Amino acid sequence: MIRLTDTETRILKNQPETGMGYQLVEGTQFDNKTKRGIAYNAELFFEENESRSVLKTLSYPQVLREATRSTGQFKSLRVLSRSEAPITLSERKAAVAKAAPAKEAPIEKTKENEVFKRFSAYKNDNRLQSDGSWSEGTYATTEEDAKNVKTGKDAVARYALANPEPAIYRFTGRPKKDTDIQRGIVEPAFNQPGGGVEVIFPNGTTANTVTGPEEIPAE
């Protein structure tokens, strides 16, 4: 596991998420060899065949502290498209019924006074920008669907989060009317059932539209 540099984190922050709180990525090293894996909060990288069981036994801050610090080993990082991501990397299970993920949905516009929620295991969630906006390609859920989530553990299951640590930090988004959005249903992944509503803000949100986090019970 590798703790990415600030520069590498900025590169990933400017690319879309694969799901709430994680990205499936390919890194090109300076010798032109590539590594594929999963990045958590744009700052912690595991190679695709590397065990991530440590996330079940240690808190995320502890894992981050113990990770090997990157020495700028990647000259480029890019988020993989759905077609490029191997099935073993995302650990998807066969869905009982076809659920269309948000990435496959057409772009529509938000309505007046719509509210959205984002659940995260990271208090310093890197999708939240310093101006109070969400960056391009950020995942969230609707306020209505978020009512099904009482604990951080609920959020992990309902939104099939890659990090098994309870997502106890809840952010609130109130985008302006006619903000671009895609809506869908979370597919099973990471041994989690999914099934919640997911939304993507393909172009992010404008300044001063996101507040939080509020902290909810772990379980």
Side-chain angles (χ1 to χ4, degrees):
M1 57 188 178
I2 299 170
R3 181 170 183 168
L4 300 175
T5 65
D6 290 345
T7 297
E8 290 163 344
T9 292
R10 282 195 295 273
I11 291 171
L12 289 180
K13 283 171 64 175
N14 289 326
Q15 296 186 60
E17 290 188 292
T18 304
M20 208 181 295
Y22 72 95
Q23 294 162 303
L24 301 180
V25 303
E26 180 180 82
T28 301
Q29 300 172 289
F30 286 92
D31 60 3
N32 290 321
K33 293 181 180 178
T34 60
K35 287 184 178 181
R36 287 189 172 189
I38 184 168
Y40 294 81
N41 200 32
E43 61 187 355
L44 180 66
F45 177 85
F46 284 82
E47 289 190 57
E48 59 183 321
N49 295 318
E50 182 179 3
S51 171
R52 302 193 299 277
S53 60
V54 65
L55 291 166
K56 297 180 180 179
T57 57
L58 298 179
S59 70
Y60 181 78
Q62 288 176 310
V63 175
L64 199 59
R65 284 195 297 270
E66 293 195 6
T68 301
R69 286 187 176 270
S70 172
T71 54
Q73 65 175 279
F74 297 116
K75 67 178 181 180
S76 67
L77 288 164
R78 70 181 183 90
V79 175
L80 298 171
S81 68
R82 180 174 294 274
S83 61
E84 292 177 295
I87 194 73
T88 53
L89 183 61
S90 57
E91 296 176 320
R92 288 193 189 118
K93 297 185 297 182
V96 174
K98 173 63 177 175
K103 280 186 177 179
E104 297 176 6
I107 293 177
E108 54 182 278
K109 304 291 185 181
T110 57
K111 302 176 179 62
E112 189 78 48
N113 298 322
E114 273 197 281
V115 178
F116 300 88
K117 302 289 183 176
R118 175 178 169 85
F119 295 90
S120 178
Y122 323 113
K123 189 173 184 177
N124 63 328
D125 192 300
N126 275 318
R127 304 306 295 186
L128 177 62
Q129 303 302 300
S130 59
D131 64 356
S133 67
W134 274 325
S135 53
E136 295 180 9
T138 293
Y139 274 74
T141 188
T142 61
E143 182 178 43
E144 186 63 29
D145 196 77
K147 292 177 182 178
N148 295 292
V149 174
K150 307 302 181 187
T151 68
K153 192 173 181 179
D154 289 345
V156 172
R158 189 168 184 81
Y159 304 115
L161 304 185
N163 188 346
E165 186 171 354
I168 63 172
Y169 299 108
R170 182 176 60 201
F171 296 82
T172 300
R174 293 181 172 85
K176 292 183 177 179
K177 182 177 180 291
D178 293 331
T179 296
D180 287 345
I181 195 172
Q182 293 168 277
R183 304 174 193 259
I185 302 298
V186 180
E187 296 179 302
F190 307 106
N191 296 316
Q192 302 296 340
V197 174
E198 65 180 7
V199 300
I200 309 172
F201 292 93
N203 299 309
T205 66
T206 55
N208 303 313
T209 53
V210 182
T211 57
E214 303 169 285
E215 192 167 333
I216 64 174
E219 53 183 88

